[in-house]
Amino acid sequence: MRDLPGIFDRFLNAVPAPSCLEELVRPVAEAIGAWSGDVPAEEFLYVDTDPAIADTARFVAHYGQELLEASANCVVVAAKRGGGTTLAACLVPSYGRVDVNGTVRRRLGARKVSFAPMETAVEATGMEYGGITPLGLPLAWPLLVDAAVTEMPYVLIGSGRRRGKLIVPGATFTQLPSTEVLQDLALVTP
């Protein structure tokens, strides 16, 4: 395993994710257990964290604002076109927000895109709201990833549950099925 950047030193309880698959929801555990990408699964770390502070603002308030520069959020969107709805996922740095009405709408060829209702996102992913992660998403879904995430040495992301986070190399997100890396997916407010 490569050395983690010092920003992750605060997570002393980090363990290789393949050694604790029972802590993860089924789709995430299966994705990590079956992982065959260029980045070894042993480089995916699991960190036990308090579910009460899973949301980004509370998490960085507790662990440090600098984590905004080393973490990403995964959101599920619903794209409507021609009477049908397609679900997709977007992964952006935590310091930005998904450009739903611009980049996402154009890339998915949709008339309208909105954040998927919580019940839909939870049921379709098999993950908990507030912990949705790109690892273990339905294979047919488009996954739009902001290029800044892929350039991070390691990225803190959800684990599929509100309890716990994953720390994975940014290059991992170029190797997931149906991934499209985009330069302008995140809107960043100075």
Side-chain angles (χ1 to χ4, degrees), residues 86-108:
T86 300
L87 295 177
C90 301
L91 184 66
V92 298
S94 294
Y95 57 78
R97 57 188 173 87
V98 178
D99 183 8
V100 174
N101 295 314
T103 304
V104 175
R105 187 181 56 76
R106 285 190 301 275
R107 297 313 277 187
L108 297 178

Side-chain angles (χ1 to χ4, degrees), residues 50-74:
D50 182 351
I53 59 170
D55 297 322
T56 302
R58 295 184 76 192
F59 193 84
V60 299
H62 180 81
Y63 285 106
Q65 285 294 122
E66 61 276 9
L67 282 172
L68 284 176
E69 301 293 325
S71 60
N73 291 324
C74 183

